[in-house]
Amino acid sequence: MNYILLGPPGAGKGTQAKKIAKKFEIVHLSTGDMFREAKKFDKIINKFLVTGELVPDEVTVDMIKNRLLKDDIKKGFVLDGFPRTLNQAQALDLMIKSQIKIDAVFFINVTFEEAIRRISSRRVCSCGASYHIALLASKKVKKCDFCGKELSQRDDDKEDVVKDRITVYEKQTKPLIEYYRNARMLIGINGLKEEAEVFAQISEYIDKNKAKKGK
Ligand code: AMP
């Protein structure tokens, strides 16, 4: 069972990917998380992250290629934030051709207004927890409910960078909708619904797919 989550920044890919991975016991692969970890040691990666630009395809494809060699992905995986360009999608096709099959690409569809609203209210903790201060506030608002550490705003969630990230999405990632629609892999998900309802739409599809495969 291997899935891809597609959608603009702020669509809820990370939140939904975590839920999918937990419920269906598959691996969550977030290129954003991998790069945020890498930026601690690599100033060049950091430069892309703070400006909201995409890390060059060669670097990203290599990172995913190496990750897909690990044994744990045999359980299945959900890709969150990859592919983000046509080059990356084609590279992924080549990588997985014979061994792994992608079961579906969920396109989480939200308006840009909603995406920007969600991003501007997002606060994160270094333990990986994420909150929406306007929606799902941490009980202590500025502290993480899980570990008690201070919450902060991602550098690339600040207003001027968000606009650039949306432009990057429009130019470089949006063509993937057509790419996967043509490949008959695209499943449209209404991302404007509540988090639980969005998850219900995805879960229903995965359950049906599992039943069809007799797993
Ligand atoms: P995310 O957490 O998915 O919003 O990603 C945060 C940042 O990591 C992006 O704005 C890019 O700078 C970088 N990044 C994540 N995934 C990719 C990708 N597939 N290709 C290039 N850059 C990426």
Side-chain angles (χ1 to χ4, degrees), residues 31-32 35-36 48-49 52-55 60 81-82 84 88 154 156 165:
T31 40
F35 284 134
R36 273 184 288 280
F48 292 105
L49 263 72
E53 277 174 67
L54 294 185
V55 177
T60 309
F82 182 92
R84 249 174 159 107
Q88 292 180 12
R154 271 169 50 174
D156 61 347
R165 285 166 68 202

Side-chain angles (χ1 to χ4, degrees), residues 59-70:
V59 178
T60 309
V61 166
D62 249 23
M63 182 176 75
I64 280 291
K65 214 183 230 173
N66 286 328
R67 185 62 186 86
L68 290 179
L69 291 174
K70 292 203 175 152

Side-chain angles (χ1 to χ4, degrees), residues 80-211:
D80 153 21
F82 182 92
R84 249 174 159 107
T85 65
L86 277 174
N87 270 340
Q88 292 180 12
Q90 283 156 356
L92 180 65
D93 285 348
L94 289 176
M95 264 181 246
I96 61 178
K97 215 165 195 171
S98 47
Q99 314 122 31
I100 320 163
K101 181 179 173 292
I102 299 290
D103 293 83
V105 177
F106 296 110
F107 167 49
I108 308 181
N109 199 0
V110 295
T111 57
F112 289 136
E113 292 77 18
E114 179 60 14
I116 290 169
R117 194 181 71 82
R118 288 182 190 177
I119 290 176
S120 57
S121 72
R122 175 161 62 191
R123 296 294 180 274
V124 293
C125 177
S126 56
C127 76
S130 178
Y131 300 86
H132 284 286
I133 49 174
L135 309 169
L136 173 83
S138 155
K139 287 179 200 109
K140 292 171 201 142
V141 184
K142 286 197 175 135
K143 304 245 186 214
C144 177
D145 284 342
F146 298 102
C147 69
K149 281 191 215 144
E150 290 280 320
L151 302 181
S152 61
Q153 188 171 34
R154 271 169 50 174
D155 284 336
D156 61 347
D157 278 353
K158 306 214 163 115
E159 208 179 324
D160 44 339
V161 186
V162 171
K163 287 195 186 119
D164 293 341
R165 285 166 68 202
I166 300 267
T167 309
V168 166
Y169 169 80
E170 280 271 284
K171 278 201 193 135
Q172 308 205 54
T173 309
K174 222 173 156 191
L176 294 183
I177 299 172
E178 220 33 53
Y179 182 82
Y180 287 119
R181 187 177 285 130
N182 289 338
R184 297 177 178 275
M185 292 166 77
L186 197 80
I187 307 294
I189 300 292
N190 181 349
L192 290 173
K193 302 268 182 195
E194 294 287 315
E195 192 180 302
E197 279 182 70
V198 174
F199 185 56
Q201 294 173 62
I202 297 174
S203 278
E204 192 188 343
Y205 180 91
I206 298 180
D207 282 331
K208 276 191 195 148
N209 190 35
K210 268 176 82 177

